[in-house]
Amino acid sequence: MANTLTYLKNVTTLALDADLCVGCGMCTVVCPRAVLSLKNGKVEIVERDACMECGACAQNCPTRALKVDAGVGCAAAVINTALGRSGDECCCVVDANGKTGPVCGPGCC
Amino acid sequence: MNYTVDPGLYALGAPDKQSPVLVTANFKLSFDRLRSAFGGRNAWILVLDTKGINVWCAAGKGTFGTDELTGRLKASGLEKIVSHRHLILPQLSAPGVAAHAVKRACGFSVAYGPIRAGDLSEFMDRGMKATPEMRTKRFPLAERAVLVPMEFIPALKWMAVLLPLFLVLGGVGFSGTFRGDITTHGIQAAFMLTGGLLAGAVLTPLLLPWLPGRAFAAKGAVAGLITGCIVIFLSGGAPDTAAIQAESSGMLLISVALAAYLAMNFTGASDYTSLSGVRREMQWAAPLLIAGATLGLILWTAARFL
């Protein structure tokens, strides 16, 4: 994909069961990384490595054809979890409207 | 400062029974941006209780979720206020909301609008169709630059301890006087650490697409290597004795590890990293960083005895 950054290869937990797909296309609407594409009435994973496991596609799939272990890719949260701290409170600071704001609580990255 | 808006139903302009219903978080910036982007039009705005957190983060946590939406919708009495049964949600709320479940629970259909509120007017004018650009999240230089203070300022807290510590330790054990060694060895160590800080917390976010490697720790290490070599060059060029070589390479390792660590923390602020990816990166990067910093510390200490 042009002009977008990609993270590590072959790591996403995104999985598609094409037999369950009814081709509604909702996943292609909600994916913010253009990972999925509708072809011949079925969804296909076209940019697997662009997936950031946000979980929007699986959440909005009415037939549970898509599965992903959703989470936030944040080193501070992983460290906190590993240390047994309650603060996997990590949130990104990118607002839904595309802008940023200091909205994180204590223990946040 | 208070960044929250009271949850509930708001009128934008003079909405009627046919006006669209926009849903957002009760984070003030989200709400204000939506209002200004949609200014001049009439709409209902349903504000969910996301504890003052923005849409994307709240959706990830599930506070901007199906239950909150359907509960807030019923409490607001929206079904008596509008004649249609359609809601427009920000696309980035989708990790928390299941559109089909909302429809089932309260009869309202969910349409996901564009990622940016700024595109909302165009989205409406296109008959509620978003272009691929409106649907794709990018991470341009301006957004990365805004995030630099989020990395830099918390790191200063640690630097306030590390810098004086290394400055004073630089005065201990080398051949000269305590004061003299601080101004040479101590200062060099402090500059190396500062270089590492700048590399990890400032250069890495800004130069993200151009630094080699996919892992953030790798990008940070490269940036740290660059700033470290610049400091070594400025502080007297190529090291010629074994003692100076050990001292310089020791501090270089420490500053590279620092830069890589800070860069790795930027995974949380970036918007294209996955949890599985961060876990995999940390599996090899975390032991390597600790080993590098330890070896650096040993070399820097050993330089006094060479």
Side-chain angles (χ1 to χ4, degrees):
Chain A
M1 232 179 351
N3 291 324
T4 50
L5 290 151
T6 9
Y7 193 41
L8 307 187
K9 281 184 183 175
N10 300 323
V11 71
T12 178
T13 53
L14 179 68
L16 168 68
D17 185 341
D19 291 341
L20 294 177
C21 178
V22 290
C24 71
M26 201 57 173
C27 54
T28 65
V29 168
V30 295
C31 177
R33 301 278 298 157
V35 171
L36 302 150
S37 178
L38 208 53
K39 282 179 186 163
N40 304 322
K42 291 267 185 188
V43 142
E44 281 180 19
I45 299 174
V46 290
E47 289 284 349
R48 169 173 290 276
D49 292 335
C51 175
M52 57 170 166
E53 300 181 327
C54 72
C57 57
Q59 177 78 268
N60 282 277
C61 178
T63 58
R64 298 188 183 184
L66 282 158
K67 284 197 172 61
V68 62
D69 293 337
V72 182
C74 173
V78 174
I79 292 172
N80 282 339
T81 310
L83 295 178
R85 289 187 200 147
S86 60
D88 65 350
E89 279 293 292
C90 177
C91 59
C92 56
V93 289
V94 178
D95 184 35
N97 302 326
K99 282 288 189 170
T100 53
V103 295
C104 292
C108 196
C109 49
Chain B
M1 263 196 284
N2 191 4
Y3 285 110
T4 61
V5 178
D6 287 336
L9 192 64
Y10 291 77
L12 185 65
D16 57 22
K17 280 179 170 306
Q18 272 88 46
S19 299
V21 180
L22 309 168
V23 183
T24 192
N26 76 329
F27 174 48
K28 196 168 183 308
L29 281 182
S30 308
F31 183 66
D32 287 348
R33 199 158 283 124
L34 181 62
R35 281 196 303 175
S36 64
F38 219 58
R41 300 185 185 222
N42 301 323
W44 297 103
I45 301 181
L46 184 64
V47 176
L48 304 188
D49 185 6
T50 61
K51 318 291 175 207
I53 302 291
N54 68 62
V55 175
W56 175 237
C57 294
K61 288 175 203 284
T63 45
F64 195 125
T66 307
D67 292 346
E68 164 63 16
L69 173 58
T70 52
R72 191 65 55 189
L73 197 147
K74 281 171 187 161
S76 71
L78 187 70
E79 53 195 24
K80 296 195 188 76
I81 295 168
V82 294
S83 54
H84 63 80
R85 291 291 176 264
H86 305 289
L87 303 170
I88 301 171
L89 270 63
Q91 185 188 333
L92 289 187
S93 69
V97 178
H100 54 277
V102 174
K103 174 89 178 176
R104 211 165 39 227
C106 61
F108 277 78
S109 69
V110 168
Y112 288 105
I115 286 179
R116 305 175 72 93
D119 291 331
L120 198 56
S121 293
E122 195 189 332
F123 172 80
M124 299 304 285
D125 293 343
R126 285 170 173 270
M128 301 206 2
K129 293 253 185 312
T131 63
E133 285 70 36
M134 289 183 196
R135 291 250 175 261
T136 315
K137 188 74 196 77
R138 290 173 204 286
F139 200 31
L141 182 63
E143 274 183 31
R144 299 198 304 272
V146 170
L147 292 167
V148 165
M150 300 289 297
E151 301 298 310
F152 189 76
I153 291 166
L156 284 180
K157 197 173 60 185
W158 296 99
M159 294 304 282
V161 178
L162 282 179
L163 285 181
L165 185 70
F166 272 79
L167 204 60
V168 170
L169 287 177
V172 181
F174 286 103
S175 51
T177 62
F178 176 65
R179 186 168 295 198
D181 281 346
I182 282 183
T183 57
T184 51
H185 305 283
I187 290 276
Q188 198 222 20
F191 269 109
M192 291 294 277
L193 289 176
T194 309
L197 168 71
L198 291 177
V202 181
L203 291 182
T204 302
L206 293 182
L207 303 179
L208 205 60
W210 302 288
L211 286 167
R214 284 171 181 254
F216 280 46
K219 289 174 182 288
V222 171
L225 210 54
I226 294 169
T227 56
C229 289
I230 291 173
V231 173
I232 289 175
F233 178 77
L234 292 179
S235 64
D240 44 8
T241 70
I244 299 176
Q245 277 167 6
E247 183 190 353
S248 295
S249 51
M251 275 317 297
L252 187 62
L253 275 171
I254 293 171
S255 76
V256 165
L258 175 69
Y261 172 75
L262 291 170
M264 206 162 68
N265 267 332
F266 195 63
T267 51
S270 78
D271 61 2
Y272 69 97
T273 52
S274 60
L275 179 57
S276 302
V278 171
R279 281 198 184 123
R280 179 179 293 180
E281 168 169 351
M282 291 183 73
Q283 257 167 22
W284 61 262
L288 213 58
L289 293 191
I290 295 168
T294 310
L295 182 64
L297 212 54
I298 291 170
L299 280 171
W300 192 62
T301 310
R304 292 156 174 81
F305 308 103
L306 290 172

